[in-house]
């Protein structure tokens, strides 16, 4: 498997109000050779669950928990 040409890093910390819109906006781009890296830094809201939903639906999305 070849490496993606573009990596988009999204810091996630209690971002449940804007996270879905942010991720969907990136995934809707015409550019397909992309990966979305979600970096969760101990969110206390439902941000992590939102990230996990995207990971289960789209192989271009990955979560890193810190």
């Amino acid at each position: 498997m070849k490496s993606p040409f573009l990596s988009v890093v999204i810091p996630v910390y209690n971002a449940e109000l804007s996270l879905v819109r942010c991720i969907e906006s990136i995934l809707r781009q015409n550019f397909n050779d992309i990966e979305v890296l979600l970096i969760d830094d101990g969110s206390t809201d439902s941000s992590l669950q939102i990230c996990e939903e995207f990971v289960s639906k789209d192989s271009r999305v990955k979560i890193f928990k810190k």
Side-chain angles (χ1 to χ4, degrees), residues 10-59:
I10 302 173
V12 177
Y13 182 77
N14 293 344
E16 69 182 355
L17 298 178
S18 58
L19 190 56
V20 171
R21 183 174 173 208
C22 175
I23 298 169
E24 286 178 346
S25 173
I26 293 166
L27 295 175
R28 275 194 308 264
Q29 301 303 310
N30 291 333
F31 191 76
N32 290 323
D33 196 11
I34 190 171
E35 70 179 347
V36 178
L37 307 176
L38 304 171
I39 313 301
D40 181 57
D41 194 19
S43 295
T44 58
D45 62 1
S46 64
S47 295
L48 183 57
Q49 290 81 11
I50 293 169
C51 292
E52 289 170 344
E53 287 177 28
F54 276 97
V55 167
S56 69
K57 294 179 199 174
D58 196 315
S59 63

Side-chain angles (χ1 to χ4, degrees), residues 54-66:
F54 276 97
V55 167
S56 69
K57 294 179 199 174
D58 196 315
S59 63
R60 298 174 294 172
V61 181
K62 297 170 181 61
I63 302 173
F64 295 89
K65 303 171 194 169
K66 185 166 174 149

